[in-house]
Amino acid sequence: MPKKNEVSAYRRPSVYLPPYNYCDRCCERCTIDKSRCLLYQTEMDERLHREIDGLGDPTPEEMVDRIVEDARKALRMVEDQVREMGLDPEVMKREAAEAPPRAKSADPIVEEATLLARGLAAFVREHGAPHPAEAQLLRRGLTMVAPKLGRATMEPGDEVQEADAILQAQVAHRSLAAMAGALESMRRRDASLGDAMLDLLTLMKRLRGEIEERWLSKPCALLEPVTGEVWWGPLRDITPTLRNFRR
């Protein structure tokens, strides 16, 4: 968990912005109606099935594969909605002007975050078994930082994209703080892990500092401070429910 002074630096939309790009899946601190949140329901559905099947916690690779598959399912759901409107998505794809692929961010912070994820994955494989709760948090967090910073570092085209970049960076910052806390918890339980995690903690601290300087302190008229113990959530939610997602 981030400290209270870290939480006070975070912001949430003062207008509706779709929550999925900046969701960190910390559901207990989000104000979205869980009965209408697709990400929450898929998260709980996946967790339940893994427990029933005795599969245990997912590996980092399995988490990435699931995120990719969820994105494909979401695309199919949108195509179904287009068909319900009497349109053919395949025809629309052929008739649409071909857009150039969006360039990947070349910002050095993204490369550093990618290296951090690899280091954390190796650390969890080697030392995570005796610390299941912390290992689970680390597996979830290490998939967040680089992709979110990749989006945050893209050149914004308008104020909505500027707000989105700040929210993306906040997810990365929150994930870094949570993972640092998990490592510290493991070190308190097993002091011999201190040397193995020292470089990881140093890199996390440096990345958090850069995020605070580049994004958390940046003004934005579309965002308002988070107050109290409530994590960010949009003003309203238009998410389809799980029954519309799983076919």
Side-chain angles (χ1 to χ4, degrees), residues 4-140:
K4 287 181 180 292
N5 62 340
E6 290 175 328
V7 172
S8 65
Y10 294 157
R11 287 168 285 176
R12 66 179 181 180
S14 57
V15 298
Y16 179 75
L17 296 176
Y20 311 113
N21 288 337
Y22 60 88
C23 173
D24 63 359
R25 305 199 182 209
C26 189
C27 303
E28 67 274 13
R29 296 177 62 84
C30 182
T31 60
I32 297 176
D33 179 0
K34 306 302 188 297
S35 69
R36 304 180 63 197
C37 180
L38 182 60
L39 286 178
Y40 172 79
Q41 294 185 46
T42 55
E43 184 86 4
M44 295 302 104
D45 182 69
E46 173 72 11
R47 187 179 303 176
L48 177 62
H49 279 81
R50 292 191 71 89
E51 289 180 0
I52 292 173
D53 296 337
L55 298 177
D57 294 329
T59 65
E61 294 78 13
E62 287 174 329
M63 292 183 68
V64 171
D65 289 343
R66 200 194 84 201
I67 291 171
V68 171
E69 181 58 26
D70 282 352
R72 289 172 177 162
K73 290 178 180 177
L75 178 59
R76 291 195 293 269
M77 182 176 66
V78 171
E79 291 176 343
D80 289 343
Q81 292 172 343
V82 169
R83 293 186 183 94
E84 291 173 1
M85 297 169 62
L87 303 173
D88 187 335
E90 297 302 323
V91 172
M92 295 176 67
K93 290 177 187 178
R94 290 195 297 269
E95 294 179 348
E98 184 173 348
R102 190 177 186 183
K104 292 184 178 180
S105 173
D107 196 295
I109 195 173
V110 180
E111 183 177 354
E112 287 187 311
T114 301
L115 292 175
L116 173 65
R118 292 171 182 165
L120 283 168
F123 180 88
V124 170
R125 282 193 293 268
E126 185 172 354
H127 304 291
H131 311 275
E134 290 85 354
Q136 182 180 22
L137 191 152
L138 289 168
R139 290 189 191 97
R140 181 176 68 177

Side-chain angles (χ1 to χ4, degrees), residues 189-208:
R189 198 175 297 125
D190 183 354
S192 67
L193 295 177
D195 289 343
M197 65 176 65
L198 182 59
D199 288 344
L200 297 173
L201 288 168
T202 300
L203 180 52
M204 287 181 184
K205 183 177 180 179
R206 183 155 57 82
L207 289 173
R208 292 203 309 271

